[in-house]
Amino acid sequence: MRKVTIQEVAEAAGVSKSTMSRYLNQNYSHMSVSTRQRIEKTVKALAYRPSRRAQSLKTKRSRLIGIMIADISNVYVSLLLKGITNYLKQYDYQTLIMESGNSVEQERQQLDQMLDQSVEGIILQPNSRLSATYQFIADAEVPLVLVDRETAPFRWDTIETDNYQATSRLSAQVHQSAEAYTVGLVVSEDVHAISTREQRLAGFINGVAPLPVQTVELDASNAAFTQKLQTLLAANEHPLVFANNGKVLAVVLKTLQALSLSVPRDVGVAGYDDWNWAGLVGPGISTVEQHPDKIGYLAGEMLMKLVQPHEKKPKPAIHTLPASVKFRQSI
Amino acid sequence: MRKVTIQEVAEAAGVSKSTMSRYLNQNYSHMSVSTRQRIEKTVKALAYRPSRRAQSLKTKRSRLIGIMIADISNVYVSLLLKGITNYLKQYDYQTLIMESGNSVEQERQQLDQMLDQSVEGIILQPNSRLSATYQFIADAEVPLVLVDRETAPFRWDTIETDNYQATSRLSAQVHQSAEAYTVGLVVSEDVHAISTREQRLAGFINGVAPLPVQTVELDASNAAFTQKLQTLLAANEHPLVFANNGKVLAVVLKTLQALSLSVPRDVGVAGYDDWNWAGLVGPGISTVEQHPDKIGYLAGEMLMKLVQPHEKKPKPAIHTLPASVKFRQSI
DNA sequence: CTGTTAGCGCCTTCAA
DNA sequence: TTGAAGGCGCTAACAG
């Protein structure tokens, strides 16, 4: 049962390809009712469905939108995707999802492939902080919306969390705490690679001020963190550990468990939670909860505005969404 | 900067479209080195990239494979996707990802759209248990691989976890426990809708036998579960609660926390864990950990075998992957 | 070694 | 109200 073409249905219905095409595009204006019904029946009988490829070759509309994220196994990202598809489902668009694996080169390759597939628009969680990196997308005249992270200088619609504010509010809780912390320890992946991480670090420093703040970078292993922590404890410090994202928070908690450290007696803990599980762990971990689904939904909305032919295009802007701060017993 | 076509590069390089096409498809066999280099330079200068749509219209190869899952925000699914893309990245294929929202009708619509986009193959987490539901895909001669769940009668390659075995092994731990459980309580979404859930229920009953087993269905709220649990406790039962998937486990744990019940003193808990967080919660929750990334990877591999033109097609089979059972203190 | 020609499946004037 | 013809960007014989 090979795919049937417009030619074949047309013949079966006893009309020309042009008439078929008119039917498909709902140009019923000047078509006799009888022809229309005849075509309708034939289409149903043959289970005919037009080929998008052929259509789009002609019309330049692929009905494809590209979504480029850093890591698809990330919970934040999966909720983001949920939000995007949730908005897009009312439209007749399909999503081409690719992941960059946090590599700028791979990202570029994948984006090129997206363009090759003639996507009509792109939602991007950028790996690079430079707008110039993505200029080629604008050159190809493909609408672009950034999510989660921003690039400089400002150029495209960007939807992100209010990281500075939220982190600041959460970490300021340290001043209400019965525990007397002597140092803040921010655990993060490469801080300066991504705008978001920098914003959170800055927010933390602001929130706990005048407490001194140290940072430790988390790579493949947790060795650096473990060592840093033990050094601090050996020096009789009382650290407040801050995990800069959900993945890091998981590592931090597992490390503390492995070291049999008590929270918040030995160390305080706070951080970003993507899983919504932090409330169940230990005494309840104080966290920032983002709303990636909302970010995705809004990104979908923005992109559709840019893609739809007849909408007036709004000026690009940065949209900052508030995050929820959950105060629990871990500080 | 509109997209440049093969025609334009050909003219710029002073060759015909055919020669350009040969270059693109690496048919260098009978092409003078000078032409080749000239083309190479022009292509680079104009930043030319061929249009996949046009190519595929001719060649019937879209380089697109469709992935249809039930719920994209599910952690299991995001790891599954990771596994698939992880395998596919060595090939030049893009993924069209859609979600069915656990609805058979929506699933059908989306699958139709996938076929409209001329995907070369489909990986499907089916919502229906009937193979007949998906016969139209076979009719369209599009290779199909099922993941996570199976349909009957057997017809396509299927990659899934060994749910019965794993659940059985985990729940058999009840016989080693110091706690004297009097009843098993399986919490699940609609058990008979999905093969996987039935397998787990059966495995649980087998593992805890001869302990009596009750079930409770989880819908939007946790009310039914809460009530059932309180009834059992009021009757002085000592229940072992089993959460049939990761989502349900989260609800169960949050409910127990809300009721201030102690684990395992008041109730024992075990279940399926998608997050890998269960070890951090309470006394450590005994769980089955699946390996969705491996399922995805294998699914990608199977599909590529079916899609690649020159491979000999293996007979379809059901591939059952073992899960890990983590014994912790919650039983 | 390279160009000419004829489509792939559909849409879109232009005529009839 | 309908059909014929041309073309979207590319590939693949077939010539030369």
Side-chain angles (χ1 to χ4, degrees):
Chain A
M1 215 161 95
R2 217 196 64 270
K3 247 213 154 191
V4 29
T5 73
I6 197 173
Q7 180 70 272
E8 296 166 321
V9 237
E11 277 166 20
V15 296
S16 72
K17 289 196 302 173
S18 344
T19 306
M20 265 306 301
S21 177
R22 285 188 197 103
Y23 171 83
L24 293 179
N25 297 289
Q26 280 143 54
N27 286 332
Y28 304 135
S29 32
H30 300 287
M31 196 187 318
S32 76
V33 183
S34 70
T35 332
R36 178 173 159 182
Q37 291 175 334
R38 197 148 30 90
I39 296 182
E40 197 164 345
K41 269 222 292 257
T42 324
V43 163
K44 206 157 280 169
L46 299 184
Y48 168 66
R49 308 209 103 225
S51 153
R52 276 255 186 266
R53 287 182 300 189
Q55 285 182 318
S56 71
L57 190 56
K58 202 60 223 187
T59 61
K60 312 276 170 218
R61 308 208 52 192
S62 63
R63 299 264 147 204
L64 242 35
I65 79 126
I67 303 176
M68 179 83 222
I69 75 282
D71 174 11
I72 201 168
S73 64
N74 191 300
V75 179
Y76 174 89
V77 162
S78 68
L79 292 169
L80 183 76
L81 292 174
K82 182 74 169 188
I84 297 175
T85 54
N86 206 20
Y87 181 81
L88 287 182
K89 72 181 171 201
Q90 57 188 300
Y91 293 87
D92 187 19
Y93 273 88
Q94 274 76 67
T95 53
L96 205 56
I97 300 177
M98 302 191 171
E99 73 176 326
S100 61
N102 286 306
S103 138
V104 176
E105 301 86 60
Q106 209 179 314
E107 182 184 65
R108 171 59 192 252
Q109 272 182 250
Q110 309 266 46
L111 286 169
D112 277 337
Q113 299 198 128
M114 269 189 186
L115 295 179
D116 293 349
Q117 293 278 12
S118 314
V119 293
E120 290 183 38
I122 293 178
I123 293 176
L124 169 67
Q125 181 188 27
N127 276 328
S128 161
R129 303 187 56 174
L130 297 171
S131 296
T133 311
Y134 306 108
Q135 183 55 39
F136 71 100
I137 298 176
D139 289 345
E141 291 170 15
V142 173
L144 177 61
V145 169
L146 265 31
V147 287
D148 184 37
R149 309 164 175 175
E150 52 187 64
T151 62
F154 166 69
R155 199 165 298 172
W156 297 284
D157 276 306
T158 306
I159 330 279
E160 56 181 1
T161 299
D162 189 351
N163 290 290
Y164 182 87
Q165 270 300 328
T167 314
S168 208
R169 274 202 293 146
L170 175 64
S171 52
Q173 190 190 3
V174 67
H175 298 122
Q176 314 295 108
S177 171
E179 306 284 330
Y181 296 106
T182 59
V183 59
L185 179 59
V186 173
V187 191
S188 175
E189 298 171 281
D190 182 7
V191 170
H192 300 293
I194 310 279
S195 60
T196 312
R197 297 177 192 154
E198 260 184 6
Q199 293 164 355
R200 294 176 186 175
L201 174 58
F204 182 80
I205 291 173
N206 173 271
V208 300
L211 207 67
V213 173
Q214 303 188 16
T215 63
V216 60
E217 193 166 316
L218 206 67
D219 42 22
S221 92
N222 64 349
F225 169 58
T226 306
Q227 197 190 331
K228 179 65 133 181
L229 193 60
Q230 289 180 320
T231 308
L232 288 174
L233 293 173
N236 262 324
E237 298 274 7
H238 191 193
L240 171 61
V241 174
F242 186 84
N244 220 348
N245 69 33
K247 212 164 155 186
V248 171
L249 180 59
V251 173
V252 164
L253 292 173
K254 280 179 185 163
T255 306
L256 297 182
Q257 190 184 48
L259 296 176
S260 302
L261 291 171
S262 160
V263 175
R265 206 195 55 215
D266 301 326
V267 290
V269 180
Y272 271 73
D273 180 22
D274 297 329
W275 283 261
N276 291 345
W277 268 67
L280 293 171
V281 175
I285 309 297
S286 288
T287 56
V288 175
E289 284 176 14
Q290 303 184 81
H291 304 290
D293 52 329
K294 291 200 181 125
I295 292 184
Y297 193 89
L298 189 51
E301 199 176 337
M302 300 302 306
L303 191 64
M304 280 303 104
K305 286 217 177 94
L306 298 175
V307 164
Q308 295 298 321
H310 297 306
E311 301 257 0
K312 49 192 162 216
K313 315 296 181 216
K315 278 224 184 70
I318 296 191
H319 306 260
T320 307
L321 269 57
S324 309
V325 174
K326 304 283 182 187
F327 298 113
R328 300 195 181 95
Q329 307 306 313
S330 68
I331 293 193
Chain B
M1 214 160 98
R2 218 196 62 271
K3 246 210 156 194
V4 29
T5 74
I6 197 173
Q7 181 70 272
E8 297 166 321
V9 235
E11 276 167 18
V15 296
S16 71
K17 287 198 302 174
S18 354
T19 306
M20 266 305 301
S21 177
R22 284 189 198 102
Y23 171 83
L24 293 180
N25 297 289
Q26 279 144 57
N27 286 332
Y28 304 137
S29 32
H30 300 287
M31 197 187 320
S32 76
V33 183
S34 70
T35 336
R36 178 171 160 182
Q37 291 175 333
R38 197 150 29 91
I39 296 181
E40 197 163 346
K41 269 224 291 259
T42 322
V43 164
K44 206 157 280 169
L46 299 185
Y48 168 67
R49 307 208 103 222
S51 153
R52 276 261 187 262
R53 288 182 299 188
Q55 284 182 319
S56 72
L57 190 57
K58 194 71 217 184
T59 60
K60 312 272 169 223
R61 309 208 52 192
S62 63
R63 300 260 146 207
L64 242 34
I65 78 126
I67 303 176
M68 180 82 221
I69 75 278
D71 174 11
I72 201 168
S73 64
N74 191 300
V75 179
Y76 174 90
V77 163
S78 69
L79 291 170
L80 183 76
L81 292 174
K82 182 75 169 188
I84 297 175
T85 54
N86 206 22
Y87 181 80
L88 287 182
K89 71 182 172 199
Q90 58 188 299
Y91 293 89
D92 187 19
Y93 273 87
Q94 274 77 67
T95 54
L96 206 56
I97 300 178
M98 301 191 175
E99 74 176 324
S100 61
N102 286 307
S103 140
V104 175
E105 301 87 61
Q106 209 179 314
E107 181 183 65
R108 172 58 192 253
Q109 272 182 250
Q110 308 267 46
L111 286 169
D112 278 336
Q113 300 198 125
M114 267 188 187
L115 295 179
D116 292 349
Q117 293 278 13
S118 314
V119 294
E120 289 183 38
I122 292 179
I123 293 176
L124 169 67
Q125 181 188 27
N127 276 328
S128 162
R129 302 186 58 172
L130 298 170
S131 297
T133 311
Y134 307 108
Q135 184 55 39
F136 71 100
I137 298 176
D139 290 345
E141 292 170 12
V142 174
L144 177 61
V145 169
L146 265 31
V147 287
D148 184 38
R149 310 164 174 175
E150 52 187 63
T151 62
F154 167 70
R155 199 167 296 171
W156 298 284
D157 276 307
T158 306
I159 330 279
E160 55 181 1
T161 299
D162 189 352
N163 290 290
Y164 182 88
Q165 271 300 328
T167 314
S168 208
R169 273 202 293 145
L170 175 65
S171 51
Q173 190 191 5
V174 67
H175 299 122
Q176 315 294 111
S177 171
E179 306 285 332
Y181 297 106
T182 59
V183 60
L185 178 59
V186 174
V187 190
S188 176
E189 298 171 282
D190 180 7
V191 169
H192 300 294
I194 309 280
S195 60
T196 313
R197 297 179 193 154
E198 260 185 5
Q199 293 164 354
R200 293 176 186 175
L201 174 58
F204 182 79
I205 292 173
N206 173 271
V208 299
L211 207 66
V213 173
Q214 303 187 16
T215 63
V216 59
E217 193 166 314
L218 206 66
D219 42 21
S221 92
N222 64 349
F225 169 58
T226 306
Q227 198 191 330
K228 178 65 131 183
L229 193 60
Q230 289 180 320
T231 308
L232 288 174
L233 292 173
N236 262 323
E237 300 274 7
H238 191 193
L240 171 61
V241 173
F242 185 83
N244 220 349
N245 68 34
K247 212 164 154 186
V248 171
L249 180 59
V251 173
V252 164
L253 291 174
K254 280 178 186 165
T255 306
L256 297 182
Q257 191 185 48
L259 296 175
S260 301
L261 292 170
S262 159
V263 175
R265 207 196 55 214
D266 302 325
V267 290
V269 179
Y272 271 73
D273 180 21
D274 297 330
W275 284 261
N276 292 344
W277 269 67
L280 293 171
V281 174
I285 308 297
S286 287
T287 55
V288 175
E289 284 177 14
Q290 302 183 81
H291 303 290
D293 52 327
K294 289 197 181 125
I295 292 186
Y297 193 89
L298 189 50
E301 198 175 337
M302 299 303 305
L303 191 65
M304 279 303 105
K305 285 213 177 98
L306 298 175
V307 164
Q308 294 299 320
H310 298 306
E311 299 258 359
K312 49 191 163 218
K313 317 295 181 215
K315 277 225 185 71
I318 296 193
H319 307 261
T320 306
L321 269 57
S324 309
V325 174
K326 304 283 182 186
F327 298 112
R328 301 197 180 95
Q329 307 306 311
S330 68
I331 294 194

